[in-house]
Structures are given as C-alpha cells and as structure tokens.
Amino acid sequence: MHQINKLVYYFAILLIILSINFFLPRVMPGDPLSYLSDPGADMPARMTEEKRELLLEYYGLDKPISEQYISYMVGIIHGDLGWSIYYGAPVLEVILGRLKWTLLLVGTSTAIHVPLGILLGATSAWARGKKKDTGLLISILSISSFPSFFLGILLVIFFGIKLDLFPINGAQTAFATYSSPFGKIFDILHHLVLPATTLVISHIGGTYLLMRNSMLGVLGEDYIMTARAKGLSEQYILHRHALMNALLPIVTMTAMTVGFLIMGTIFVETVFAYPGIGNLLYNAVLYRDYPLLQGIFLFMTIAIVGANFIADTIYVRLDPRVKNE
C-alpha cells in the first residue's frame, strides 16, 4: 500500500512538472526562430513574413496555447518529443547523443563524492573536538565553498595549461584513431578527470557535513551507550550501530543531489566544453529552442523523481517504521 501511494504521489508530481515544463519556455523573452537561419549569428536572423508563418506552422507555434499543450502531452505519451528548432533533428535523438556523457560525468562524480563524504563525515564525528575533526571540517568546507565554474577554471589553468597533464575541453580527442578499445577508454577517462574532480570538490562538502551532523546525533543515543556498556568494540559500534542509522538522511540527500548535479553540470560542462546535457541546455536556452528545452526538462524531471522514488524505497528498507506512517 505504501508503494502504491508513493506511485500516485510521484505521478501527480510528474504531471504538474510536465505542465510547468511546457509553459516555462514560452514565458521566456526572445523568439525561437531568431537563430534558425544562421545559428552562429549573434543577432536575430531576418526572414520574410511568409517564411516566418510557414515555420511557425511547421513547428506548431501558430496554434493556441491549449492546442500546443495537448499536442505536447500526447507526444510525450507516444514518445515523440518533437523536432529541435536549432539543431534541426529529433529532440530525443539530440538528447540521447549527449546524455551518455552527462551520465558518465555525474555517475563518476557521485560514486566518488558520496562514499568519500560519508567516510570523512563519520571519521570527523567519531573524532569530535580533536585536531582531525577540526582539520577536516575547515579544509573540506573551505574548498567546497568555491563555485563550481571557478574551481573548473582553476583546474584548467593549473593542471591543463600550466602542467599540461589533462585535456581542457571535449569528452575525447577529436578525429583520434585508437589501436585498441583500451586506448579509447583511456582517452575518455583522461578527458573526464578535470570535470569530474570539479564536481566532486564542489559537492563533497554537503555530504560530509550532513554525515557528520547525523553521526553526532546518533552517537548521543541511548543504544550507543548500551552497546558500550556491553563491552562491544568501538569499531563494531561504529560500523554496526552508529553508521547504519546515520546513513538514513544521506539516502534522501543523495537522491536530491542527482538533480543538483545535473543542473550543476551546466557550468562545469561549459567551462570544459564537455558535450553533455548541461552544455546542451545552455544552448537550448540561448537559442530559445522550445522543443529541446521541454525535452531536456522532461529527462531531468524523470531523473529527479525517479531518484527520489528509489530513495524512498531504500529508506523503507533501512527504517521499516516508515511503512506505518
């Protein structure tokens, strides 16, 4: 019953967000046809009134908002996200071409900063008030307080230009030929290091701080004192009692972080010219590409709602008391 209620709840949220997704691009200033004739132009393109009317009809922008909304929802049900005005290709095809790079970037950075933040937060809380705790708290919060685009620029200047250790743009070397699959994998990972490091540094502070505070709250509970009174080892208490209960808020935060990470990649992918969804979203906003904007927001919505649903499911596994609420 709990899972059914959650499914209905998330379906309602999805429907509301899809509606906002439709109307939001249409309240933006600017004309989606401005850059159609000359994508590289900085000024709106000139076109005859006849050509403009034909294009508006072709993209369905001449219809009333209500008809556009119905067509939009029907298209989503049938898996048709429309045609990109700027790129001149199906929206789904454009997004899928970029999605793999964002999934690689976000997945890699999440797989690093979440476990690392949990480990450092638990270590810091266990050593509360000592030099280790103070050093970790100051150093992690200091480096993670910098904006992601600023961190990216610093990494580009130092590791990309000064030391020339890593590439500073793209997801792989252009026009490169590889003698083996391992060569291609190494090239992709080589390009991934700097943008992934930027995301890890800029997001590890939140995980660390939440884990530290959660662990401090757990360490003051009666069952921890009871475990110590029974003579259990400190390591056993840390891993079997304190850590497992302190992880509950981390599950929720990790699900929420997925959405923020995808949005955060806009700045990181722009700095490193990384061909992911963030860079694509920047171009879609710049050129007022309504269908592409709607498609990107749809994918982001599904990712965020799906991540939160998975988090709720895991939360119930970790804390069965939630089922009775």
Side-chain angles (χ1 to χ4, degrees), residues 108-150:
T108 302
S109 59
T110 302
I112 295 174
H113 90 260
V114 171
L116 188 59
I118 290 173
L119 176 62
L120 294 176
T123 302
S124 186
W126 198 254
R128 181 182 181 181
K130 299 180 181 178
K131 290 183 179 180
K132 181 187 293 186
D133 176 35
T134 305
L136 285 173
L137 187 62
I138 294 175
S139 58
I140 292 177
L141 294 186
S142 296
I143 62 174
S144 62
S145 62
F146 290 104
S148 57
F149 68 88
F150 181 71

Side-chain angles (χ1 to χ4, degrees), residues 180 284 297:
S180 67
F297 288 147

